[in-house]
Amino acid sequence: MNGPIFPFEGRLPAIDPTAFVAPTAAVIGDVELGPDSSVWYHCVLRGDTHPIRVGARSNIQDGTIVHVAAGTLPAVIGDDVTIGHACIIHACTLKNRAFVGMGATVLDGAVIEEGGMLGAGGLLAPGKRIGPNELWLGAPARFVRVMSAEERAGWDRNAVHYAELGKRHRASLTQPA
């Protein structure tokens, strides 16, 4: 059981059968969701004027909006990416293992490289780039430091947790009350 899936101009989202889309989320148009990815309650992924691509085991948490720039920039989300609650992800690239903290905004053409992290409430301006394993904080976001391998591994556990939690939610929603 997956939430509302809507076509746009004949293009229906492609959702891997192992992905979880919460019943109150909306996935619209040219959107692809990879294996074990999850889109949580009250999220909107609107691939109307350019594509949205989400890799394996990535989680887009409650209240987040993912959109694109009309005909110019897609939204590309790699594997094992965590996007916290109530984020705005707009026409940007989040490479594998990127982490976007709660309430953060990533704008057009910005890139978070593999393992990079934008802290809660951060604002990554258009065209900015967070390097591999870098931690950026603030609005506008600024470089703070490179995270240690141990610290970064701790954040990586979120992707595993949410992949499993998505399976549990999907199973729970299909069981009789």
Side-chain angles (χ1 to χ4, degrees):
M1 174 182 191
N2 273 323
I5 309 302
F6 300 104
F8 180 77
E9 295 180 344
R11 182 73 189 236
L12 189 65
I15 299 173
D16 186 276
T18 63
F20 169 68
V21 178
T24 59
V27 180
I28 305 154
D30 191 359
V31 177
E32 292 180 7
L33 298 179
D36 294 322
S37 60
S38 55
V39 178
W40 293 88
Y41 300 89
H42 302 291
C43 289
V44 175
L45 279 67
R46 184 161 51 97
D48 50 4
T49 61
H50 226 58
I52 295 172
R53 301 292 179 258
V54 179
R57 298 169 307 281
S58 290
N59 60 93
I60 302 169
Q61 296 174 20
D62 312 68
T64 290
I65 298 167
V66 180
H67 194 227
V68 297
T72 59
L73 291 170
V76 179
I77 298 167
D79 298 336
D80 301 305
V81 172
T82 291
I83 301 171
H85 309 288
C87 292
I88 297 174
I89 305 301
H90 199 271
C92 59
T93 299
L94 309 178
K95 294 192 177 180
N96 296 344
R97 299 175 46 246
F99 191 106
V100 180
M102 291 184 275
T105 300
V106 184
L107 294 175
D108 300 38
V111 175
I112 300 179
E113 296 286 350
E114 183 160 349
M117 182 176 195
L118 176 62
L123 170 64
L124 192 61
K128 290 287 188 180
R129 182 176 296 266
I130 294 177
N133 300 317
E134 289 181 355
L135 171 63
W136 287 44
L137 301 172
R142 304 229 187 275
F143 173 77
V144 175
R145 62 185 162 79
V146 174
M147 293 179 281
S148 71
E150 291 170 357
E151 180 181 19
R152 189 52 226 160
W155 293 111
D156 287 340
R157 287 192 287 273
N158 279 298
V160 174
H161 167 72
Y162 271 92
E164 179 58 33
L165 191 57
K167 292 175 188 175
R168 292 172 55 201
H169 273 258
R170 185 174 45 253
S172 181
L173 290 168
T174 58
Q175 295 172 353

